[in-house]
Amino acid sequence: MKKLILVRFGEIFLKGLNRPFFIKKLIERIRVVVSPYHAKVWFEDSRVYVADFEEHDTDAIVTHIRKVFGVHSLSIVTAVEDKNMDTICRVAAEIMQDKSGTFKVSAKRSDKKYPMDSPKINAHVGGYVLTHNKNLAVDVFHPQHTLYVEIRAQAYIYTAHIMAVGGMPVGTNGKATLLLSGGIDSPVAGWMIAKRGVELNAVHYHSAPYTSELALNKVLELAKILSESLCGIRVHVVPFTEIQMAIHEKCQDDLTTLIMRRYMMKIAEKISDAEGTYGLITGESIGQVASQTMQALLCTDNAVSKPVFRPLIGFDKQDIIDIANRIGTMETSSLPFEDCCTVFTPRHPRTRPKLESVEKQEKLINAEEMIRRALAEYDVYEVDTLGNMTVRKNTISPFC
């Protein structure tokens, strides 16, 4: 007998002939997050199993696996290798020895060669547990405890389903580039797209000295939180001060935020090209601020040729906050450090801009040359799934 973790997936079952590809990716991701614990991971009989880890590491391993996209639920189980019914009953009684109240046994016999069917297993194990724990009574309709017995390659006995994040394994549905600010919305948007199996890299714009190192550290902390589910993320931190100052000094005040957004999109598209991603992701929601009206979004999208994915487009702010709290980014996003989107904000931004007016204003600055300078050398932060981070300079730029 030994303890192991049984991992279930959900939507992957619907993938037909492509299912092995998705399962392979899921196993790869799980192996990444459990690698510090030297655990063994394998697939067998429609389940992923994790074993050969130290018992004191169990909670940490469960926490990591729960955050892996593609994992629907998991259970900490006791395995009975020979599936001997006497042993199963003894283990079941040990598991239930500190329980009181009502219970039932829920057996599942995937091994159809096993001599007992599910109802007989339920009755046999349940009777043994009752005999050895006088504080329990049977209630098959509304039990306080459920004892699960699965007969597969081994017998697995457990009492809890631990719910996980769900979704699809990262890397099964292409790549995209996230415009990552220090706010509440963009981390949530990236998380939602990644949950559908999309591998992400991120772009952040740093406007020193108007934005501080604390603001940058806040964004990198958000990247660390996201990396737990993404199994790592690369963050491109691009200097934006020169472009932002030129827009502020030369362009019409009520259009500066929108023009700034357009150049952010243009830079992100160039990085997307270099990274081989298929689209851009933003945290915009219709009408949340002046640059997110339908007319403004039309002008923003016109700046790039790649698709722009906005998973929060119809969300209320409270909906977004609820998700941010659930995924663990809200506290960090709420830290009071300004990012480049909040400096030089005009008092009265235009909410119904016309594309012709915006393009006319853009001609007042030599932004393309400034974009080339910004992308000639900038910092790239590599964040792994455990939050370890390395930084390097992007010294070979295809943009110059």
Side-chain angles (χ1 to χ4, degrees), residues 136-258:
L136 288 171
V138 173
D139 182 347
V140 297
F141 298 107
H142 304 289
Q144 293 172 279
H145 311 284
T146 300
L147 176 66
Y148 299 94
V149 179
E150 293 194 21
I151 307 297
R152 297 179 177 274
Q154 301 181 56
Y156 303 108
I157 308 161
Y158 57 97
T159 58
H161 285 73
I162 303 168
M163 299 310 297
V165 70
M168 303 297 295
V170 168
T172 57
N173 280 313
K175 302 178 182 179
T177 297
L178 170 67
L179 280 76
L180 180 62
S181 74
I184 297 170
D185 303 335
S186 60
V188 174
W191 186 91
M192 291 179 66
I193 292 292
K195 186 178 179 180
R196 299 308 305 155
V198 178
E199 184 178 342
L200 300 188
N201 65 78
V203 181
H204 175 70
Y205 299 97
H206 191 47
S207 294
Y210 301 100
T211 56
S212 67
E213 286 299 311
L214 291 174
L216 174 59
N217 291 338
K218 172 184 173 180
V219 169
L220 296 176
E221 183 60 32
L222 289 170
K224 289 181 181 180
I225 295 169
L226 292 176
S227 72
E228 293 182 74
S229 288
L230 273 61
C231 295
I233 186 171
R234 182 181 300 114
V235 184
H236 304 256
V237 178
V238 179
F240 200 63
T241 308
E242 184 183 16
I243 296 172
Q244 198 164 12
M245 289 297 297
I247 294 170
H248 176 66
E249 291 171 1
K250 298 182 180 180
C251 296
Q252 192 172 309
D253 185 63
D254 61 352
L255 292 176
T256 54
T257 298
L258 184 56

Side-chain angles (χ1 to χ4, degrees), residues 175-176 189 193 278-284 307-312:
K175 302 178 182 179
I193 292 292
Y278 305 114
L280 308 178
I281 304 166
T282 74
E284 291 158 316
V308 181
F309 302 107
R310 297 182 172 96
L312 308 181

Side-chain angles (χ1 to χ4, degrees), residues 341-369:
C341 295
T342 56
V343 297
F344 303 124
T345 302
R347 290 188 61 187
H348 301 290
R350 194 179 302 185
T351 58
R352 294 177 176 82
K354 294 187 180 297
L355 179 60
E356 309 83 56
S357 301
V358 174
E359 290 178 329
K360 183 177 180 181
Q361 288 291 305
E362 282 185 353
K363 293 178 182 177
L364 300 176
I365 59 176
N366 185 18
E368 293 302 322
E369 181 59 35

Side-chain angles (χ1 to χ4, degrees), residues 73-202:
S73 67
L74 60 154
S75 296
I76 303 168
V77 308
T78 301
V80 178
E81 188 173 355
D82 61 5
K83 297 183 279 191
N84 178 274
M85 181 51 65
D86 290 340
T87 307
I88 291 171
C89 288
R90 180 170 55 80
V91 170
E94 290 174 359
I95 289 174
M96 298 297 289
Q97 66 183 352
D98 60 345
K99 304 285 194 299
S100 61
T102 59
F103 85 109
K104 74 172 183 178
V105 178
S106 177
K108 182 174 182 180
R109 186 187 60 154
S110 295
D111 178 5
K112 300 307 180 185
K113 295 180 180 179
Y114 195 74
M116 289 179 132
D117 61 15
S118 296
K120 288 181 180 179
I121 296 170
N122 289 339
H124 198 86
V125 175
Y128 188 93
V129 170
L130 274 177
T131 301
H132 288 77
N133 187 339
K134 302 301 182 181
N135 296 319
L136 288 171
V138 173
D139 182 347
V140 297
F141 298 107
H142 304 289
Q144 293 172 279
H145 311 284
T146 300
L147 176 66
Y148 299 94
V149 179
E150 293 194 21
I151 307 297
R152 297 179 177 274
Q154 301 181 56
Y156 303 108
I157 308 161
Y158 57 97
T159 58
H161 285 73
I162 303 168
M163 299 310 297
V165 70
M168 303 297 295
V170 168
T172 57
N173 280 313
K175 302 178 182 179
T177 297
L178 170 67
L179 280 76
L180 180 62
S181 74
I184 297 170
D185 303 335
S186 60
V188 174
W191 186 91
M192 291 179 66
I193 292 292
K195 186 178 179 180
R196 299 308 305 155
V198 178
E199 184 178 342
L200 300 188
N201 65 78

